[in-house]
Amino acid sequence: MLSSMQMMTKLRPFVRTFLKEASQMFEMYIYTMGDRAYALEMAKLLDPGREYFNAKVISRDDGTQRHQKGLDVVLGQESAVLILDDTENAWMKHKDNLILMERYHFFASSCHQFGFNCKSLSEQKTDESESEGALASILKVLRKIHQIFFEELEENMDGRDVRQVLKTVRKDVLKGCKIVFSRVFPTQSQADNHHLWRMAEQLGATCSTELDPSVTHVVSKDSGTEKSHWALKHNKFLVQPGWIEAANYFWQRQPEENFAVNQIKN
């Protein structure tokens, strides 16, 4: 409870371990669209011993663009900066540096604020897993990126770019998957520009409009479509669109049975 700010907040599970481990690989900044007072309160909660951030706290009062975050207020080359944020649109100029985090909806007010019609973690009387939650998953990704950047690219020090490493690691997530979408997009022209199609390709999958034996997954919300029937008949994976989004957040292929279309009950 932050009485001075008349608000309540909760730290995400695993955050202490995450910060300790990440600080051994990276120089870390806090960057928030909140005001300076909020930023400093969050820094106190996250880093009471001032071990990790010290004065490296940036608020909207420090930014140079209204409603946007920019790397121009961060010391360091853009080619060596990674961003963890749950709001993609805040980084329009730096999407190639961004690792998009899943929002932490512990309180019901958080779900309502972002337009989610679902029960919050507190309402479900549960919380994220320490060992398999968002922060633990992303820490593994950070370790991998750090290793590639500093060890595998050791001979090309000047040409190293973490944005390229990020793309390479991301493309491994759904490598070998060939996806056909069924009634997820109204038209083919919308499919080509749809965020799910682009997301799947960025994760290394091949997307197609045609069914053939090389297809591994049909993505649909409806088990009654022709393509869905084909998937079941030919023993292919039939999954909900959330399967792609979950892979994107966790940077690893998720168990298809957790996203099976025929498990949806009205």
Side-chain angles (χ1 to χ4, degrees), residues 216-252:
T216 58
H217 294 73
V218 171
V219 174
S220 181
K221 296 175 184 175
D222 182 358
S223 58
T225 71
E226 195 176 322
K227 287 173 180 171
S228 296
H229 283 308
W230 178 90
L232 294 169
K233 182 183 175 185
H234 291 88
N235 207 20
K236 307 291 185 178
F237 291 114
L238 176 60
V239 291
Q240 301 168 41
W243 177 74
I244 297 171
E245 293 171 322
N248 187 56
Y249 280 130
F250 286 96
W251 289 66
Q252 56 190 22

Side-chain angles (χ1 to χ4, degrees), residues 183-201:
R183 290 200 199 157
V184 177
F185 323 115
T187 66
Q188 183 50 41
S189 62
Q190 283 172 288
D192 294 337
N193 295 307
H194 197 278
H195 79 281
L196 271 179
W197 183 290
R198 287 200 316 272
M199 188 183 283
E201 288 185 331

Side-chain angles (χ1 to χ4, degrees), residues 49-242:
R50 293 171 70 92
E51 298 171 72
Y52 308 130
F53 304 108
N54 201 2
K56 300 191 293 286
V57 179
I58 303 166
S59 70
R60 68 171 177 229
D61 306 329
D62 307 303
T64 56
Q65 305 159 71
R66 194 169 166 80
H67 305 309
Q68 279 291 302
K69 294 178 178 178
L71 293 179
D72 53 344
V73 291
V74 175
L75 287 175
Q77 290 180 297
E78 287 182 22
S79 59
V81 176
L82 287 173
I83 301 160
L84 302 188
D85 204 318
D86 61 11
T87 308
E88 187 176 16
N89 291 340
W91 296 98
M92 296 306 282
K93 290 184 179 177
H94 305 290
K95 287 190 178 183
D96 289 343
N97 300 77
L98 177 66
I99 293 176
L100 187 65
M101 300 292 296
E102 187 175 20
R103 290 189 193 281
Y104 181 48
H105 293 301
F106 186 76
F107 298 112
S109 56
S110 174
C111 293
H112 300 153
Q113 181 185 345
F114 293 100
F116 287 96
N117 186 23
C118 60
K119 283 194 170 183
S120 66
L121 290 166
S122 61
E123 287 175 303
Q124 296 175 54
K125 295 184 170 51
T126 186
D127 206 347
E128 269 190 8
S129 162
E130 283 262 349
S131 57
E132 295 173 18
L135 291 178
S137 299
I138 295 303
L139 183 60
K140 290 175 194 166
V141 176
L142 292 179
R143 283 201 191 104
K144 192 171 186 179
I145 291 167
H146 188 271
Q147 182 191 351
I148 294 170
F149 190 83
F150 284 104
E151 293 178 23
E152 295 181 24
L153 301 179
E154 198 172 6
E155 293 172 11
N156 183 22
M157 300 290 267
D158 296 333
R160 287 183 301 187
D161 192 326
V162 76
R163 293 167 292 197
Q164 292 306 314
V165 178
L166 205 54
K167 281 181 183 169
T168 303
V169 173
R170 197 193 300 268
K171 273 194 170 292
D172 271 346
V173 176
L174 294 183
K175 189 177 178 181
C177 297
K178 185 171 181 181
I179 297 171
V180 167
F181 294 89
S182 179
R183 290 200 199 157
V184 177
F185 323 115
T187 66
Q188 183 50 41
S189 62
Q190 283 172 288
D192 294 337
N193 295 307
H194 197 278
H195 79 281
L196 271 179
W197 183 290
R198 287 200 316 272
M199 188 183 283
E201 288 185 331
Q202 287 168 353
L203 292 168
T206 304
C207 296
S208 174
T209 55
E210 303 298 324
L211 294 169
D212 67 58
S214 66
V215 170
T216 58
H217 294 73
V218 171
V219 174
S220 181
K221 296 175 184 175
D222 182 358
S223 58
T225 71
E226 195 176 322
K227 287 173 180 171
S228 296
H229 283 308
W230 178 90
L232 294 169
K233 182 183 175 185
H234 291 88
N235 207 20
K236 307 291 185 178
F237 291 114
L238 176 60
V239 291
Q240 301 168 41

